[in-house]
Amino acid sequence: MLTFVIRRVFQSALVLLVVGLVAFSMFRFVGDPIENMLGQERTDADIARLRTDLGLDQPFPVQYMKFLKNAVEGDFGTSYRQGRPVADILVERAPATLELAAVSAFFAIGLGIGLGVFTAIRKDGFMANMIMSVSLIGVSLPTFLIGILLIYLFAVELKWLPSFGRGEVVQLGWWSTGFLTSSGLKALILPAITLGLYQMTLIMRLVRSEMLEVLRQDYVRFARARGLRERTVNFRHALKNTLVPVITVTGLQLGSIIAFAIITESVFQWPGVGLLFINAIQFVDIPVMAAYLMLISVMFVGINLIVDLLYFAIDPRLRIDQKGAN
């Protein structure tokens, strides 16, 4: 077990280093931040002085190693656009994205597993076939189009929910939450559905497929032959073995929810780190862009590390293979 954990942690750290290198390399081609920071009356001396102050005159390897060293210490530099520490900006924006991702994940996992089990058990029923047909919408339509359609229906036509923004929030220390206000909860509904709909349909279809496969296994037939109740067979025997391969895909989808929240935040003008990244691209705010990608990478790698450990704990075959390898 310890060897497995050490190997996964080492792989995760290596992935973060590679992601940081690729991201930092790409930023050299998105434009010169000096052009946006100085006015039209700038002189060559002004450009040289600002470039020196920002450390842009140093070689690329030096800039990258300095960035990694400061990032480990929680220092991502100063925003070129706002003139404030990037860490402070991320602390302000992170609660909005994390709350949106948490609600979307709860929606995707809870509804996805529930509907997947239902459509597998009632695979020939009218409701199951209708659910599978409607689920094609979540799979085929792009996220931004789903968001626009929801805004048109529930905000423009029905006027039930707000079309943009986060609503009223409450400060709990450094954390700002919309869970404690009615406007905050209403503002969260449409973006959460938009962000989680694709993941929900994917999880539902995966659970249904795995559930149908497990229900055809001999041990399930034997459990029915023993006279066990259908509920016990479906949820204690079939569902437990269905979730083993689902965990891996679900973990990847949780990472995707955080990574692709940028699209949903742009559509709904949600004040999270995704919208912050879009604005940073427009102003070539390299410290903000680098910090965002590193933050998303840490979350994505961390989620996958947790999924690997859960998979190792749930699936006894991995433990047997690990002992055999040792």
Side-chain angles (χ1 to χ4, degrees), residues 81 89-104 143 147 151 161-170 175-195 257-258 260-280 292:
R81 178 191 177 193
I89 300 174
L90 291 178
V91 168
E92 293 178 358
R93 296 293 193 104
T97 297
L98 292 178
E99 286 187 356
L100 176 61
V103 175
S104 300
T143 300
I151 290 174
L161 299 170
S163 60
F164 67 94
R166 196 184 176 194
E168 185 180 356
V169 297
V170 176
W175 187 276
S176 61
T177 179
F179 289 153
L180 302 179
T181 63
S182 59
S183 63
L185 292 175
K186 289 181 179 179
L188 190 59
I189 294 175
L190 292 184
I193 294 176
T194 301
L195 182 59
I257 285 177
I258 297 176
F260 297 124
I262 183 173
I263 301 175
T264 302
E265 291 184 7
S266 299
V267 173
F268 290 92
Q269 290 298 294
W270 189 262
V273 293
L275 186 60
L276 176 68
F277 180 70
I278 293 295
N279 295 330
Y292 171 82

Side-chain angles (χ1 to χ4, degrees), residues 32 43 48 64 107 110 177 193 218-219 248 274 283 291 308 322 326:
D32 189 356
T43 64
Y64 176 62
F107 164 74
T177 179
I193 294 176
D218 291 338
Y219 67 87
T248 301
F283 288 89
D308 286 340
Q322 186 70 23
N326 295 333

